[in-house]
Amino acid sequence: MRLSARLRRGISTWNSYHHRTGDPRPEITGPVTLVNMRFCPYAQRTVLALAAKDVSYTNINCSLMNKPEWLWDLNPLGKVPVLIHNGNIVYESVVANDYVDDVFPGRKLNPDCAVRRAEERMLTELFQAKVVLPQMKIFFGFKRGEGADKRLAHFNDSMRGLVYFEQRLTELDTRFFHSESEPGMLDYLLWPWFERMHSYAAVFVGEGLEFPQHKFPRLVKWMQRMSQEETVAPYLLDTETHAAFIRSMQTGNPNYDLMLDK
């Protein structure tokens, strides 16, 4: 796979140390900085948008359960991603991605048609409510003492939510949600959770959390295409790596620097 010089410069910092409570804020250098967490699916959305636009940037990683105090200064919500561009601070993944699409040159990630763009935003909200939220309950159910039965219920809720997206790809009859030829904004907003789709069964073995691929033939083909995309593949982590991080989360002490050991 051929990577641009800009993209190669970002790769070296993706797996860097995650700053913690008490750590001083690193110096912000260069016109574009992304405050990230290597395993955060929301921040991954913005990594993908920057890659699609071939934007060179500095990556700074943050722990989120023991976050550095200065993260609150950048984002009052205390979350990632945070995009800093020429002193302008932009947070929340969808907002940051739209900013990237509007400000930087290159191919447009959002549809030009207002109706299509509205449809994609509604699908993004639907995905958050019907697919992401149940999966987040699997991630963080340990805080509520939830066991296998609850995890299976959340997983089944998420799979029911995926039906809308299988149907949408069928209606579009294209290789990607954006177009026949290449992924766009909606593809990048959805992808991070599909990358983790097989991780739940690897962590919670024997609980029935296997991704039912036979129910989603269109999405499975889309997943295969996305995993090989030049804007997606460099940042992609395999199932076992995601599973290792999720296992560490279940202890209440996530290993944010897991990639430093590889």
Side-chain angles (χ1 to χ4, degrees):
M1 178 180 299
R2 295 182 59 189
L3 302 179
S4 72
R6 291 175 182 270
L7 191 53
R8 286 197 301 270
R9 284 196 290 271
I11 290 175
S12 63
T13 57
W14 286 340
N15 299 332
S16 59
Y17 170 76
H18 285 71
H19 296 272
R20 295 167 168 78
T21 304
D23 287 348
R25 190 174 89 174
E27 182 181 0
I28 305 295
T29 59
V32 184
T33 298
L34 179 67
V35 181
N36 189 9
M37 191 279 272
R38 185 62 176 93
F39 297 95
C40 176
Y42 292 101
Q44 185 176 357
R45 287 171 158 180
T46 303
V47 170
L48 298 179
L50 290 166
K53 289 289 195 171
D54 197 23
V55 177
S56 178
Y57 62 95
T58 300
N59 185 87
I60 297 174
N61 284 332
C62 284
S63 302
L64 295 181
M65 283 197 182
N66 51 346
K67 60 194 70 176
E69 293 83 355
W70 47 263
L71 180 58
W72 297 100
D73 298 330
L74 296 174
N75 179 356
L77 298 173
K79 300 192 295 185
V80 296
V82 179
L83 185 70
I84 305 169
H85 176 225
N86 291 334
N88 298 307
I89 298 174
V90 184
Y91 50 82
E92 290 298 296
S93 60
V94 175
V95 178
N97 279 27
D98 280 342
Y99 180 89
V100 168
D101 196 29
D102 290 340
V103 169
F104 295 103
R107 67 181 181 90
K108 296 301 291 182
L109 306 181
N110 278 311
D112 291 327
C113 172
V115 173
R116 278 292 305 278
R117 184 166 178 162
E119 288 174 346
E120 290 198 358
R121 281 296 173 273
M122 290 187 288
L123 284 170
T124 302
E125 291 300 313
L126 184 65
F127 190 76
Q128 174 66 26
K130 298 290 188 178
V131 179
V132 173
L133 184 57
Q135 290 188 28
M136 291 298 99
K137 290 178 180 178
I138 298 174
F139 271 97
F140 295 105
F142 72 93
K143 291 186 174 183
R144 299 183 295 274
E146 293 184 351
D149 289 347
K150 284 286 189 179
R151 285 192 289 269
L152 180 58
H154 298 323
F155 187 77
N156 288 338
D157 283 345
S158 184
M159 294 304 100
R160 282 190 286 270
L162 283 184
V163 171
Y164 295 100
F165 298 87
E166 178 73 15
Q167 292 173 343
R168 182 57 176 159
L169 264 184
T170 302
E171 293 165 0
L172 291 169
D173 196 25
T174 52
R175 287 161 50 85
F176 301 98
F177 285 96
H178 181 68
S179 71
E180 176 65 21
S181 60
E182 58 190 0
M185 187 65 79
L186 183 59
D187 297 277
Y188 294 134
L189 292 175
L190 304 185
W191 170 252
W193 284 270
F194 286 92
E195 183 176 311
R196 293 154 175 79
M197 197 65 74
H198 297 286
S199 301
Y200 307 112
V203 175
F204 305 106
V205 178
E207 295 187 10
L209 308 189
E210 291 79 14
F211 177 50
Q213 299 186 62
H214 64 283
K215 293 184 179 180
F216 305 105
R218 290 270 185 166
L219 283 172
V220 167
K221 290 180 180 178
W222 171 82
M223 290 168 69
Q224 293 169 346
R225 296 183 193 110
M226 285 293 288
S227 68
Q228 298 167 9
E229 263 294 308
E230 63 181 3
T231 51
V232 174
Y235 196 76
L236 183 147
L237 299 175
D238 61 29
T239 292
E240 183 48 45
T241 301
H242 280 300
F245 179 72
I246 296 171
R247 288 189 196 100
S248 76
M249 286 185 63
Q250 305 311 297
T251 70
N253 185 28
N255 184 4
Y256 293 108
D257 291 327
L258 177 67
M259 298 302 293
L260 290 179
D261 301 330
K262 290 185 174 289

